[in-house]
Amino acid sequence: MSDLASTPATPAEQPAPEPSAAPAPAVDPRLLIREEGFAGYWSEFVRKVRGGELGSLPVLVGLIVIAIVFQFQNSNFLSASSVANIAVYSSGLGIMAVGIVFVLLLGEIDLSVGSVAGVGAAVWAVLNVNHGWNEWPAIIVAVLCGTALGALHGFFFAKIGVPAFVVTLAGFLGWSGFQEWLMGKEGSINTPSGSTVENLTNYFFADKAAGYGLALVAVLAYAASLLVESRRRRAANLPARPVTEVVLRTGVIAVLCFVVAYVLNEPEGARGLPLALVLFLAVLVVADFVARRTTFGRQVFAVGGNPEAARRAGIDVDRVRIIVFALSGTLGAFGGLFIASLSGGATKSVGGGNTLMLVIAAAVIGGTSLFGGRGKVWSALLGMIVIQSIQQGLNMIGMANAIQYMITGAVLLAAVVIDSVSRRTQKTAGRA
């Protein structure tokens, strides 16, 4: 009996195991947030702020404060002519700042962008005015010169191993001398009347349909991008924005775009939509697409976040670095043509003075991190609007240039402090 009791049961005699419950599917917390409605979004916003994920919040708050303060000081601060001046003066330097955003995403710096802008303006003026070239070939050669200079900086940095700070500082000095040599003894070449370069900052679309049309196109394109992104995420079984959120975001953008279009078109003395603003926005859209929607853009963020990890992942780090510096040089030379247009011609001082400081400050103030791997192309727009709004407001109340420099420097320092504190907070919260 004991032997029979100890004999193990055959498989057929063993009781069938009870079916185990299927594991519950993981639920993305972002889906729960959206299901909770406004309360969910608010709790997510508070969590991000506490975790150091500030995004564009500081610069947007700063813009609101700047507008309120200067509007109380001078009731013409938000007038059509003032807004148009801010848009035009932001465009050339803002285009240069877009190139700097890409360099900062690598965690590097480009100190040569001002002198490259001066070389671009000088090459265009010498070819077009002194040698009688057609203006379009002269413009193309001038921009390509900036591409070549930027690629040269990138080569010495990526292939030779010279620090970017040293390479671009040498470029700042060397290309400034090259610019003076190109300009010759006279030192200035006036912009031909009615030329393309003159129209860069002096042409305005007087037809009101241009301003409102651009606003409509911008709103429709933004809404389409949100809808396409949501559809792609749903197709991949990822959390996507609900239609209500898409409508709300589109509505906010629509209000901003049409208010700006109204200010530029309707009030007395309004000149219409500036061509400079259209070109600046075009550069921003293309650059944003490259940064967020292409393989190269993702590689830039990867190299800026961790170059060694990017290299081990199969990314050609040297190639990415050279292309980024070439892009910075290209946009620097293009922005130099805007500066020449504003100043009435190419001079030895184009790209000098505080140009470099303003361009780098715009990228940083707009929210691009100095530590690499974090930022958006639209930082160039936000940061440059902040800087030009401060300068415009201080000019309207008769403040000296010295005060303007001090205030701009303080704003730049505040932006860097916010970036540093944000990174430290993210590390503490485990989100770095």
Side-chain angles (χ1 to χ4, degrees):
M1 295 292 293
S2 61
D3 292 339
L4 291 175
S6 62
T7 303
T10 62
E13 296 172 343
Q14 291 180 351
E18 296 183 1
S20 57
V27 179
D28 193 296
R30 288 173 291 185
L31 288 176
L32 297 178
I33 291 169
R34 286 165 179 156
E35 289 177 358
E36 293 174 1
F38 177 78
Y41 281 106
W42 176 254
S43 63
E44 175 69 0
F45 171 76
V46 173
R47 183 194 65 79
K48 286 184 175 181
V49 171
R50 290 178 176 175
E53 301 176 49
L54 300 179
S56 301
L57 178 63
V59 67
L60 292 176
V61 173
L63 278 174
I64 295 173
V65 172
I66 289 170
I68 294 174
V69 170
F70 285 121
Q71 184 65 18
F72 273 112
Q73 295 291 323
N74 190 315
S75 59
N76 291 323
F77 177 73
L78 296 178
S79 64
S81 59
S82 177
V83 172
N85 284 337
I86 292 173
V88 170
Y89 279 89
S90 296
S91 299
L93 295 177
I95 289 173
M96 297 167 65
V98 172
I100 292 297
V101 167
F102 278 90
V103 175
L104 292 178
L105 288 176
L106 289 180
E108 303 297 338
I109 194 68
D110 185 357
L111 301 179
S112 68
V113 64
S115 57
V116 170
V119 169
V123 169
W124 159 78
V126 170
L127 293 179
N128 180 225
V129 179
N130 291 359
H131 295 283
W133 281 37
N134 181 276
E135 57 182 346
W136 278 107
I139 290 173
I140 293 172
V141 171
V143 173
L144 290 179
C145 280
T147 306
L149 298 182
L152 183 63
H153 299 154
F155 172 80
F156 277 101
F157 167 53
K159 296 294 186 180
I160 308 300
V162 182
F165 179 89
V166 176
V167 172
T168 57
L169 178 59
F172 167 76
L173 298 172
W175 305 133
S176 295
F178 183 57
Q179 175 188 358
E180 290 193 19
W181 177 80
L182 284 175
M183 296 301 300
K185 294 182 179 180
E186 294 184 0
S188 64
I189 301 175
N190 294 332
T191 304
S193 177
S195 65
T196 300
V197 171
E198 183 186 52
N199 288 334
L200 287 177
T201 58
N202 292 282
Y203 184 82
F204 291 76
F205 295 94
D207 190 347
K208 296 179 181 179
Y212 290 119
L214 180 62
L216 179 61
V217 170
V219 172
L220 292 178
Y222 180 74
S225 67
L226 292 181
L227 291 173
V228 170
E229 181 183 7
S230 296
R231 182 179 301 175
R232 291 175 60 187
R233 294 183 68 86
R234 287 193 181 95
N237 294 322
L238 295 173
R241 292 188 177 96
V243 176
T244 53
E245 182 180 347
V246 172
V247 172
L248 179 60
R249 286 173 174 264
T250 304
V252 173
I253 295 297
V255 170
L256 292 175
C257 290
F258 281 99
V259 166
V260 173
Y262 174 82
V263 172
L264 293 174
N265 278 330
E266 300 297 340
E268 184 179 352
R271 291 177 288 176
L273 177 67
L275 173 63
L277 178 60
V278 176
L279 295 175
F280 183 21
L281 292 176
V283 170
L284 284 168
V285 170
V286 174
D288 181 65
F289 177 82
V290 171
R292 297 195 302 117
R293 302 296 183 185
T294 66
T295 301
F296 172 75
R298 290 189 288 270
Q299 290 175 347
V300 171
F301 281 94
V303 173
N306 191 323
E308 185 57 32
R311 195 187 313 276
R312 295 185 180 184
I315 297 175
D316 189 342
V317 175
D318 292 346
R319 169 181 165 274
V320 171
R321 287 171 168 170
I322 292 174
I323 293 177
V324 166
F325 276 91
L327 177 62
S328 178
T330 302
L331 296 178
F334 187 37
L337 299 179
F338 282 76
I339 300 175
S341 177
L342 282 172
S343 59
T347 66
K348 294 181 178 179
S349 62
V350 169
N354 61 352
T355 299
L356 174 63
M357 182 272 292
L358 293 178
V359 169
I360 296 178
V364 176
I365 291 172
T368 302
S369 176
L370 281 169
F371 303 98
R374 189 178 62 175
K376 296 181 179 179
V377 169
W378 293 94
S379 300
L381 173 65
L382 295 174
M384 191 53 67
I385 290 178
V386 168
I387 291 175
Q388 292 299 334
S389 297
I390 292 174
Q391 293 190 343
Q392 177 77 6
L394 293 176
N395 285 331
M396 294 180 72
I397 62 177
M399 197 70 68
N401 286 336
I403 303 299
Q404 296 185 27
Y405 289 154
M406 287 188 284
I407 292 178
T408 304
V411 172
L412 174 59
L413 177 60
V416 177
V417 169
I418 291 174
D419 182 33
S420 300
V421 173
S422 174
R423 288 178 63 88
R424 186 178 303 173
T425 304
Q426 288 186 34
K427 289 181 179 180
T428 303
R431 299 183 178 276

